[in-house]
Amino acid sequence: MAVSKDQEMLRLHGRRVLIAAGGGIAVYKTVELARLLLKRGAEVRVMMTDAATRFVHPTTFAAITGRPVGLQMFHDDGSPEVGHLELPHWADLVLVAPATADLIAKAACGIADDLVTTGLLAARCPVLFAPAMNPSMWEHPATRTNLQTLRTRGAHVVGPETGEMAHPDELPGAGRMSEPSAIVEEVLRLLISSGDLAGRRVLITAGRTEEPIDSVRMLSNRSSGRMGVALAEEALKRGAEVVLVHGPMDVNPPAGVETVRVRSANDMLAAVQDRIDRMDVAIYAAAVSDYRPKQALKGKMKRENTPEPVLELVANPDIAAETASHCPGITVGFALEAGGDLAPARVKRARKGLDAILFNQVDAIGADTNRLTWISDRESEGETSPSASKRELAGWVLDRVVNFLRASP
Ligand code: C5P
C-alpha cells in the first residue's frame, strides 16, 4: 500500500512532543524544529531554561505552538504557570534541543533545580538529546561520561555534527546541533518506526452504512464510528499504515490514515475487496446494515401515492465473511450480542472465518465506554477487557493483535 505524501507528512499526528530547550545559540534552530514537528501533525509544547530565553524569546515558541511555554517552577503569587510535572507526564517524547553540556550534566546527575531539569527527571517517556556545544566542551571527558551515563539509562542521542560553529571566530569541529530535519527523522524513528505495528498494513472498517429507500430516505443504524476511529488512531501510533474504509460517522477520521468514504454495504464490500489481499491485519468494526431495500426508488416516494408502503428488503453481503479468507494476515470482527452468552459469538467467528471476534453487549453501541471479550481458537482466548473508553480498548485490542501476529508463522 502506498502511503501518500500527505499521510507521510502527518505520521506524527496526535503524538505529543515536549521540547526542552537549553541555553545555547543553537536554540534558534529549535524554532524551525518545532515548526517541522507541528507540520508533521505532532502536538508540540516547549519548556525553556532561563539561559535559553536569553537567545530566543519564549513568545516565539508560544506563537508557533499556540501553547504557553514552561519557564519557571515558582511564581511570586504562588500560582504555577505550567505545573512542573504536567508537561513531562503529557509527553510521548521529550526532545532536549539544544542539549547543552550543562543540561546533559544535570540530567546525568539527576539534578532538578528548575522546570526543565525537573521535567527531565520526571519524564517516563523516551528522551532524545540533541547535543549542541563548542568542540572543546563536546570533547571534554566529563561531557562524554555524562552522555554515556544517560545512554546506559536508555536515553537516545542524535548528533552532534561536525562543521562550522555559529560564532564566526570558532574553528569548525564536532558539536554542532543536528539539522532540524535530521532530528525530526529521529523523532519519527523513535515514535513510529519502533512501534509494534511498524511497517504493518492495517485495514479497518468503521461507521454505519446507509441503504437508500429513495433519493432522500435510507435505512441505517446508530453506530458512531468511534471504535473504528480509535483503532485507526492506535494502529497509526504503533507505526502501522492504516486504511480506514468507513461509512457515515459522528467523528472525523484521524489525519495520517488513508480513508475510503463509502455509503452502502455494497460499496464498502467493493472497497475492502480491492485492498484486503495486501493487509497484515483487517479489523471489521463497521456496523453494516444487514438488509437493504430491494429497490431504491429514484426521486422521493410520495405519501399521496403510497399511503401504506411496504418495504421489501434483501440481505446485504457479509463483508467480513466474504473477504476474511482473502486476507493474508489476521482478521478480527465484532459481535454485538444481547445478554452475556458467548456461544453465539463463537459460532459467528467460525462462520465468518475470522481469527478472532470481540464480543460486546448491545448497549455499547454509541456509548463512551465498553467491555470486550476476545474470542478465538488460539492466542488470548476468553480474555475480557476492563470497562474502558474506546480509546483504551483500542490499545487492548491491538495488544492482542500484535500477540497474534507474533505467534503467526
Ligand atoms: O453478523 P453480525 O452483524 O453480528 O457480525 C458483526 C461483525 O461482522 C462485525 O465485525 C461487522 O463489522 C461484520 N459485518 C460485516 N458485514 C455485514 C455484517 C457484519 O462485515 N454485512
mmCIF file of all heavy atoms in Angstrom, residues 290-330:
data_model
loop_
_atom_site.group_PDB
_atom_site.id
_atom_site.type_symbol
_atom_site.label_atom_id
_atom_site.label_comp_id
_atom_site.label_asym_id
_atom_site.label_seq_id
_atom_site.Cartn_x
_atom_site.Cartn_y
_atom_site.Cartn_z
ATOM 1 N N ASP A 290 -27.779 -5.059 7.876
ATOM 2 C CA ASP A 290 -27.957 -6.447 7.435
ATOM 3 C C ASP A 290 -28.801 -6.516 6.168
ATOM 4 O O ASP A 290 -28.668 -7.440 5.387
ATOM 5 C CB ASP A 290 -28.636 -7.258 8.546
ATOM 6 C CG ASP A 290 -27.658 -7.537 9.680
ATOM 7 O OD1 ASP A 290 -26.455 -7.675 9.382
ATOM 8 O OD2 ASP A 290 -28.087 -7.591 10.848
ATOM 9 N N TYR A 291 -29.696 -5.545 6.022
ATOM 10 C CA TYR A 291 -30.622 -5.570 4.872
ATOM 11 C C TYR A 291 -30.584 -4.246 4.127
ATOM 12 O O TYR A 291 -30.206 -3.221 4.677
ATOM 13 C CB TYR A 291 -32.052 -5.794 5.360
ATOM 14 C CG TYR A 291 -32.192 -6.974 6.285
ATOM 15 C CD1 TYR A 291 -32.288 -6.777 7.667
ATOM 16 C CD2 TYR A 291 -32.200 -8.269 5.784
ATOM 17 C CE1 TYR A 291 -32.394 -7.856 8.527
ATOM 18 C CE2 TYR A 291 -32.304 -9.351 6.644
ATOM 19 C CZ TYR A 291 -32.403 -9.141 8.012
ATOM 20 O OH TYR A 291 -32.496 -10.209 8.851
ATOM 21 N N ARG A 292 -31.044 -4.299 2.883
ATOM 22 C CA ARG A 292 -31.250 -3.058 2.133
ATOM 23 C C ARG A 292 -32.568 -3.179 1.382
ATOM 24 O O ARG A 292 -32.996 -4.311 1.069
ATOM 25 C CB ARG A 292 -30.099 -2.810 1.156
ATOM 26 C CG ARG A 292 -30.005 -3.800 0.021
ATOM 27 C CD ARG A 292 -28.917 -3.430 -0.989
ATOM 28 N NE ARG A 292 -28.896 -4.390 -2.085
ATOM 29 C CZ ARG A 292 -28.289 -5.567 -2.061
ATOM 30 N NH1 ARG A 292 -27.649 -5.962 -0.966
ATOM 31 N NH2 ARG A 292 -28.338 -6.379 -3.096
ATOM 32 N N PRO A 293 -33.201 -2.052 1.091
ATOM 33 C CA PRO A 293 -34.423 -2.110 0.297
ATOM 34 C C PRO A 293 -34.131 -2.783 -1.046
ATOM 35 O O PRO A 293 -33.076 -2.527 -1.657
ATOM 36 C CB PRO A 293 -34.801 -0.642 0.110
ATOM 37 C CG PRO A 293 -34.189 0.043 1.282
ATOM 38 C CD PRO A 293 -32.906 -0.683 1.544
ATOM 39 N N LYS A 294 -35.051 -3.634 -1.468
ATOM 40 C CA LYS A 294 -34.818 -4.388 -2.709
ATOM 41 C C LYS A 294 -34.592 -3.435 -3.861
ATOM 42 O O LYS A 294 -33.743 -3.657 -4.718
ATOM 43 C CB LYS A 294 -36.020 -5.292 -2.987
ATOM 44 C CG LYS A 294 -35.773 -6.274 -4.112
ATOM 45 C CD LYS A 294 -36.873 -7.308 -4.174
ATOM 46 C CE LYS A 294 -36.598 -8.289 -5.300
ATOM 47 N NZ LYS A 294 -37.743 -9.194 -5.482
ATOM 48 N N GLN A 295 -35.372 -2.346 -3.856
ATOM 49 C CA GLN A 295 -35.198 -1.347 -4.913
ATOM 50 C C GLN A 295 -35.125 0.043 -4.305
ATOM 51 O O GLN A 295 -35.972 0.397 -3.493
ATOM 52 C CB GLN A 295 -36.399 -1.395 -5.850
ATOM 53 C CG GLN A 295 -36.103 -2.227 -7.071
ATOM 54 C CD GLN A 295 -37.264 -2.221 -8.035
ATOM 55 O OE1 GLN A 295 -38.405 -2.019 -7.630
ATOM 56 N NE2 GLN A 295 -36.978 -2.445 -9.294
ATOM 57 N N ALA A 296 -34.115 0.791 -4.681
ATOM 58 C CA ALA A 296 -34.061 2.182 -4.240
ATOM 59 C C ALA A 296 -34.766 3.022 -5.300
ATOM 60 O O ALA A 296 -34.376 3.008 -6.473
ATOM 61 C CB ALA A 296 -32.612 2.622 -4.096
ATOM 62 N N LEU A 297 -35.840 3.702 -4.858
ATOM 63 C CA LEU A 297 -36.601 4.494 -5.838
ATOM 64 C C LEU A 297 -35.844 5.756 -6.191
ATOM 65 O O LEU A 297 -35.178 6.357 -5.344
ATOM 66 C CB LEU A 297 -37.955 4.883 -5.252
ATOM 67 C CG LEU A 297 -38.892 3.731 -4.903
ATOM 68 C CD1 LEU A 297 -40.163 4.267 -4.253
ATOM 69 C CD2 LEU A 297 -39.227 2.927 -6.173
ATOM 70 N N LYS A 298 -35.948 6.149 -7.446
ATOM 71 C CA LYS A 298 -35.380 7.448 -7.860
ATOM 72 C C LYS A 298 -36.371 8.537 -7.446
ATOM 73 O O LYS A 298 -37.584 8.330 -7.509
ATOM 74 C CB LYS A 298 -35.215 7.479 -9.389
ATOM 75 C CG LYS A 298 -34.011 6.704 -9.868
ATOM 76 C CD LYS A 298 -33.207 7.540 -10.885
ATOM 77 C CE LYS A 298 -31.761 7.161 -10.901
ATOM 78 N NZ LYS A 298 -31.520 5.743 -11.170
ATOM 79 N N GLY A 299 -35.882 9.658 -6.962
ATOM 80 C CA GLY A 299 -36.768 10.733 -6.526
ATOM 81 C C GLY A 299 -37.309 10.446 -5.142
ATOM 82 O O GLY A 299 -36.738 9.654 -4.392
ATOM 83 N N LYS A 300 -38.445 11.086 -4.790
ATOM 84 C CA LYS A 300 -38.992 10.940 -3.447
ATOM 85 C C LYS A 300 -40.329 10.210 -3.496
ATOM 86 O O LYS A 300 -41.230 10.595 -4.255
ATOM 87 C CB LYS A 300 -39.183 12.337 -2.842
ATOM 88 C CG LYS A 300 -39.593 12.296 -1.396
ATOM 89 C CD LYS A 300 -39.754 13.691 -0.828
ATOM 90 C CE LYS A 300 -40.352 13.615 0.557
ATOM 91 N NZ LYS A 300 -41.088 14.806 0.915
ATOM 92 N N MET A 301 -40.426 9.142 -2.694
ATOM 93 C CA MET A 301 -41.678 8.403 -2.636
ATOM 94 C C MET A 301 -42.769 9.328 -2.091
ATOM 95 O O MET A 301 -42.560 9.974 -1.061
ATOM 96 C CB MET A 301 -41.497 7.212 -1.681
ATOM 97 C CG MET A 301 -42.533 6.136 -1.827
ATOM 98 S SD MET A 301 -42.519 5.012 -0.415
ATOM 99 C CE MET A 301 -40.936 4.260 -0.553
ATOM 100 N N LYS A 302 -43.922 9.406 -2.783
ATOM 101 C CA LYS A 302 -44.941 10.381 -2.379
ATOM 102 C C LYS A 302 -45.973 9.727 -1.476
ATOM 103 O O LYS A 302 -46.458 8.630 -1.766
ATOM 104 C CB LYS A 302 -45.639 10.933 -3.630
ATOM 105 C CG LYS A 302 -44.833 12.014 -4.330
ATOM 106 C CD LYS A 302 -45.781 12.861 -5.187
ATOM 107 C CE LYS A 302 -45.106 13.974 -5.937
ATOM 108 N NZ LYS A 302 -44.228 14.804 -5.134
ATOM 109 N N ARG A 303 -46.290 10.432 -0.365
ATOM 110 C CA ARG A 303 -47.255 9.902 0.590
ATOM 111 C C ARG A 303 -48.620 9.682 -0.075
ATOM 112 O O ARG A 303 -49.302 8.708 0.194
ATOM 113 C CB ARG A 303 -47.412 10.889 1.747
ATOM 114 C CG ARG A 303 -48.153 10.269 2.882
ATOM 115 C CD ARG A 303 -47.898 10.885 4.199
ATOM 116 N NE ARG A 303 -47.629 12.310 4.174
ATOM 117 C CZ ARG A 303 -47.851 13.076 5.226
ATOM 118 N NH1 ARG A 303 -48.345 12.552 6.319
ATOM 119 N NH2 ARG A 303 -47.580 14.353 5.204
ATOM 120 N N GLU A 304 -49.004 10.638 -0.962
ATOM 121 C CA GLU A 304 -50.316 10.538 -1.619
ATOM 122 C C GLU A 304 -50.419 9.271 -2.462
ATOM 123 O O GLU A 304 -51.466 8.640 -2.531
ATOM 124 C CB GLU A 304 -50.561 11.744 -2.551
ATOM 125 C CG GLU A 304 -50.391 13.116 -1.919
ATOM 126 C CD GLU A 304 -48.949 13.570 -1.895
ATOM 127 O OE1 GLU A 304 -48.472 14.040 -2.934
ATOM 128 O OE2 GLU A 304 -48.290 13.437 -0.846
ATOM 129 N N ASN A 305 -49.284 8.883 -3.086
ATOM 130 C CA ASN A 305 -49.317 7.708 -3.973
ATOM 131 C C ASN A 305 -49.240 6.395 -3.194
ATOM 132 O O ASN A 305 -49.793 5.383 -3.596
ATOM 133 C CB ASN A 305 -48.143 7.748 -4.953
ATOM 134 C CG ASN A 305 -48.194 8.992 -5.810
ATOM 135 O OD1 ASN A 305 -49.232 9.655 -5.872
ATOM 136 N ND2 ASN A 305 -47.089 9.329 -6.455
ATOM 137 N N THR A 306 -48.498 6.419 -2.094
ATOM 138 C CA THR A 306 -48.299 5.185 -1.330
ATOM 139 C C THR A 306 -48.593 5.443 0.140
ATOM 140 O O THR A 306 -47.683 5.676 0.935
ATOM 141 C CB THR A 306 -46.847 4.673 -1.487
ATOM 142 O OG1 THR A 306 -45.978 5.796 -1.376
ATOM 143 C CG2 THR A 306 -46.616 3.928 -2.745
ATOM 144 N N PRO A 307 -49.907 5.464 0.513
ATOM 145 C CA PRO A 307 -50.257 5.791 1.903
ATOM 146 C C PRO A 307 -49.718 4.759 2.895
ATOM 147 O O PRO A 307 -49.367 5.097 4.003
ATOM 148 C CB PRO A 307 -51.785 5.833 1.893
ATOM 149 C CG PRO A 307 -52.211 5.156 0.642
ATOM 150 C CD PRO A 307 -51.089 5.215 -0.329
ATOM 151 N N GLU A 308 -49.651 3.479 2.510
ATOM 152 C CA GLU A 308 -49.142 2.446 3.415
ATOM 153 C C GLU A 308 -48.090 1.621 2.698
ATOM 154 O O GLU A 308 -48.320 0.469 2.321
ATOM 155 C CB GLU A 308 -50.285 1.551 3.907
ATOM 156 C CG GLU A 308 -51.198 2.261 4.873
ATOM 157 C CD GLU A 308 -52.247 1.326 5.466
ATOM 158 O OE1 GLU A 308 -52.130 0.100 5.298
ATOM 159 O OE2 GLU A 308 -53.185 1.857 6.073
ATOM 160 N N PRO A 309 -46.920 2.179 2.476
ATOM 161 C CA PRO A 309 -45.918 1.460 1.680
ATOM 162 C C PRO A 309 -45.397 0.222 2.420
ATOM 163 O O PRO A 309 -45.329 0.203 3.644
ATOM 164 C CB PRO A 309 -44.795 2.480 1.510
ATOM 165 C CG PRO A 309 -44.952 3.407 2.646
ATOM 166 C CD PRO A 309 -46.407 3.452 2.975
ATOM 167 N N VAL A 310 -45.058 -0.767 1.676
ATOM 168 C CA VAL A 310 -44.419 -1.958 2.252
ATOM 169 C C VAL A 310 -42.994 -1.991 1.703
ATOM 170 O O VAL A 310 -42.781 -1.907 0.497
ATOM 171 C CB VAL A 310 -45.181 -3.249 1.842
ATOM 172 C CG1 VAL A 310 -44.435 -4.486 2.342
ATOM 173 C CG2 VAL A 310 -46.603 -3.209 2.387
ATOM 174 N N LEU A 311 -42.062 -2.064 2.625
ATOM 175 C CA LEU A 311 -40.655 -2.029 2.209
ATOM 176 C C LEU A 311 -40.165 -3.456 2.047
ATOM 177 O O LEU A 311 -40.128 -4.218 3.012
ATOM 178 C CB LEU A 311 -39.861 -1.317 3.309
ATOM 179 C CG LEU A 311 -38.593 -0.589 2.937
ATOM 180 C CD1 LEU A 311 -38.820 0.400 1.816
ATOM 181 C CD2 LEU A 311 -38.062 0.130 4.187
ATOM 182 N N GLU A 312 -39.775 -3.796 0.842
ATOM 183 C CA GLU A 312 -39.251 -5.152 0.628
ATOM 184 C C GLU A 312 -37.732 -5.101 0.779
ATOM 185 O O GLU A 312 -37.064 -4.284 0.144
ATOM 186 C CB GLU A 312 -39.629 -5.648 -0.766
ATOM 187 C CG GLU A 312 -39.562 -7.158 -0.829
ATOM 188 C CD GLU A 312 -39.985 -7.707 -2.196
ATOM 189 O OE1 GLU A 312 -40.686 -6.989 -2.957
ATOM 190 O OE2 GLU A 312 -39.589 -8.827 -2.501
ATOM 191 N N LEU A 313 -37.205 -5.971 1.647
ATOM 192 C CA LEU A 313 -35.771 -5.924 1.939
ATOM 193 C C LEU A 313 -35.067 -7.165 1.394
ATOM 194 O O LEU A 313 -35.655 -8.237 1.329
ATOM 195 C CB LEU A 313 -35.547 -5.854 3.454
ATOM 196 C CG LEU A 313 -36.169 -4.672 4.178
ATOM 197 C CD1 LEU A 313 -35.922 -4.791 5.695
ATOM 198 C CD2 LEU A 313 -35.614 -3.349 3.669
ATOM 199 N N VAL A 314 -33.794 -6.988 1.056
ATOM 200 C CA VAL A 314 -32.955 -8.142 0.707
ATOM 201 C C VAL A 314 -31.709 -8.096 1.590
ATOM 202 O O VAL A 314 -31.348 -7.046 2.111
ATOM 203 C CB VAL A 314 -32.546 -8.145 -0.797
ATOM 204 C CG1 VAL A 314 -33.724 -8.369 -1.697
ATOM 205 C CG2 VAL A 314 -31.810 -6.852 -1.154
ATOM 206 N N ALA A 315 -31.067 -9.251 1.726
ATOM 207 C CA ALA A 315 -29.890 -9.323 2.610
ATOM 208 C C ALA A 315 -28.695 -8.632 1.957
ATOM 209 O O ALA A 315 -28.472 -8.763 0.751
ATOM 210 C CB ALA A 315 -29.564 -10.779 2.903
ATOM 211 N N ASN A 316 -27.932 -7.918 2.760
ATOM 212 C CA ASN A 316 -26.674 -7.334 2.288
ATOM 213 C C ASN A 316 -25.571 -8.386 2.343
ATOM 214 O O ASN A 316 -25.677 -9.358 3.092
ATOM 215 C CB ASN A 316 -26.287 -6.158 3.195
ATOM 216 C CG ASN A 316 -26.686 -4.832 2.595
ATOM 217 O OD1 ASN A 316 -26.784 -4.705 1.368
ATOM 218 N ND2 ASN A 316 -26.920 -3.848 3.439
ATOM 219 N N PRO A 317 -24.504 -8.178 1.582
ATOM 220 C CA PRO A 317 -23.375 -9.116 1.708
ATOM 221 C C PRO A 317 -22.766 -8.992 3.099
ATOM 222 O O PRO A 317 -22.794 -7.916 3.703
ATOM 223 C CB PRO A 317 -22.390 -8.621 0.644
ATOM 224 C CG PRO A 317 -22.749 -7.195 0.410
ATOM 225 C CD PRO A 317 -24.231 -7.102 0.634
ATOM 226 N N ASP A 318 -22.234 -10.095 3.603
ATOM 227 C CA ASP A 318 -21.486 -10.059 4.861
ATOM 228 C C ASP A 318 -20.030 -9.799 4.489
ATOM 229 O O ASP A 318 -19.334 -10.673 3.969
ATOM 230 C CB ASP A 318 -21.641 -11.393 5.598
ATOM 231 C CG ASP A 318 -21.022 -11.341 6.989
ATOM 232 O OD1 ASP A 318 -19.940 -10.725 7.130
ATOM 233 O OD2 ASP A 318 -21.620 -11.894 7.919
ATOM 234 N N ILE A 319 -19.600 -8.574 4.719
ATOM 235 C CA ILE A 319 -18.278 -8.134 4.241
ATOM 236 C C ILE A 319 -17.167 -8.962 4.889
ATOM 237 O O ILE A 319 -16.239 -9.423 4.222
ATOM 238 C CB ILE A 319 -18.093 -6.627 4.530
ATOM 239 C CG1 ILE A 319 -19.171 -5.846 3.768
ATOM 240 C CG2 ILE A 319 -16.704 -6.151 4.125
ATOM 241 C CD1 ILE A 319 -19.345 -4.412 4.199
ATOM 242 N N ALA A 320 -17.284 -9.155 6.210
ATOM 243 C CA ALA A 320 -16.255 -9.936 6.911
ATOM 244 C C ALA A 320 -16.209 -11.355 6.351
ATOM 245 O O ALA A 320 -15.138 -11.858 5.985
ATOM 246 C CB ALA A 320 -16.552 -9.942 8.400
ATOM 247 N N ALA A 321 -17.380 -11.983 6.240
ATOM 248 C CA ALA A 321 -17.418 -13.383 5.783
ATOM 249 C C ALA A 321 -16.889 -13.521 4.356
ATOM 250 O O ALA A 321 -16.224 -14.492 4.023
ATOM 251 C CB ALA A 321 -18.844 -13.909 5.873
ATOM 252 N N GLU A 322 -17.171 -12.515 3.531
ATOM 253 C CA GLU A 322 -16.776 -12.634 2.114
ATOM 254 C C GLU A 322 -15.309 -12.302 1.872
ATOM 255 O O GLU A 322 -14.754 -12.690 0.858
ATOM 256 C CB GLU A 322 -17.652 -11.716 1.246
ATOM 257 C CG GLU A 322 -19.069 -12.242 1.171
ATOM 258 C CD GLU A 322 -19.805 -11.796 -0.077
ATOM 259 O OE1 GLU A 322 -19.154 -11.363 -1.046
ATOM 260 O OE2 GLU A 322 -21.038 -11.897 -0.065
ATOM 261 N N THR A 323 -14.706 -11.544 2.783
ATOM 262 C CA THR A 323 -13.340 -11.092 2.479
ATOM 263 C C THR A 323 -12.259 -11.675 3.395
ATOM 264 O O THR A 323 -11.089 -11.658 3.038
ATOM 265 C CB THR A 323 -13.249 -9.543 2.537
ATOM 266 O OG1 THR A 323 -13.593 -9.110 3.855
ATOM 267 C CG2 THR A 323 -14.166 -8.895 1.523
ATOM 268 N N ALA A 324 -12.643 -12.178 4.583
ATOM 269 C CA ALA A 324 -11.618 -12.607 5.561
ATOM 270 C C ALA A 324 -10.654 -13.631 4.959
ATOM 271 O O ALA A 324 -9.446 -13.566 5.198
ATOM 272 C CB ALA A 324 -12.286 -13.161 6.809
ATOM 273 N N SER A 325 -11.178 -14.542 4.172
ATOM 274 C CA SER A 325 -10.303 -15.612 3.656
ATOM 275 C C SER A 325 -9.302 -15.078 2.631
ATOM 276 O O SER A 325 -8.327 -15.751 2.307
ATOM 277 C CB SER A 325 -11.139 -16.729 3.037
ATOM 278 O OG SER A 325 -11.859 -16.202 1.942
ATOM 279 N N HIS A 326 -9.532 -13.863 2.113
ATOM 280 C CA HIS A 326 -8.584 -13.272 1.151
ATOM 281 C C HIS A 326 -7.501 -12.449 1.842
ATOM 282 O O HIS A 326 -6.604 -11.925 1.194
ATOM 283 C CB HIS A 326 -9.332 -12.381 0.147
ATOM 284 C CG HIS A 326 -10.346 -13.145 -0.642
ATOM 285 N ND1 HIS A 326 -9.991 -13.984 -1.666
ATOM 286 C CD2 HIS A 326 -11.688 -13.231 -0.523
ATOM 287 C CE1 HIS A 326 -11.083 -14.550 -2.160
ATOM 288 N NE2 HIS A 326 -12.132 -14.104 -1.486
ATOM 289 N N CYS A 327 -7.621 -12.303 3.162
ATOM 290 C CA CYS A 327 -6.624 -11.516 3.899
ATOM 291 C C CYS A 327 -5.460 -12.434 4.269
ATOM 292 O O CYS A 327 -5.661 -13.433 4.956
ATOM 293 C CB CYS A 327 -7.252 -10.917 5.157
ATOM 294 S SG CYS A 327 -6.074 -9.972 6.139
ATOM 295 N N PRO A 328 -4.250 -12.078 3.843
ATOM 296 C CA PRO A 328 -3.111 -12.937 4.198
ATOM 297 C C PRO A 328 -2.728 -12.830 5.679
ATOM 298 O O PRO A 328 -1.933 -13.624 6.168
ATOM 299 C CB PRO A 328 -1.976 -12.402 3.310
ATOM 300 C CG PRO A 328 -2.386 -11.034 2.890
ATOM 301 C CD PRO A 328 -3.880 -10.943 2.980
ATOM 302 N N GLY A 329 -3.309 -11.865 6.388
ATOM 303 C CA GLY A 329 -2.932 -11.642 7.790
ATOM 304 C C GLY A 329 -4.026 -12.037 8.765
ATOM 305 O O GLY A 329 -4.781 -12.974 8.531
ATOM 306 N N ILE A 330 -4.098 -11.271 9.841
ATOM 307 C CA ILE A 330 -5.013 -11.562 10.951
ATOM 308 C C ILE A 330 -6.346 -10.831 10.715
ATOM 309 O O ILE A 330 -6.343 -9.654 10.371
ATOM 310 C CB ILE A 330 -4.405 -11.028 12.274
ATOM 311 C CG1 ILE A 330 -2.971 -11.534 12.470
ATOM 312 C CG2 ILE A 330 -5.281 -11.344 13.465
ATOM 313 C CD1 ILE A 330 -2.829 -13.002 12.493
#
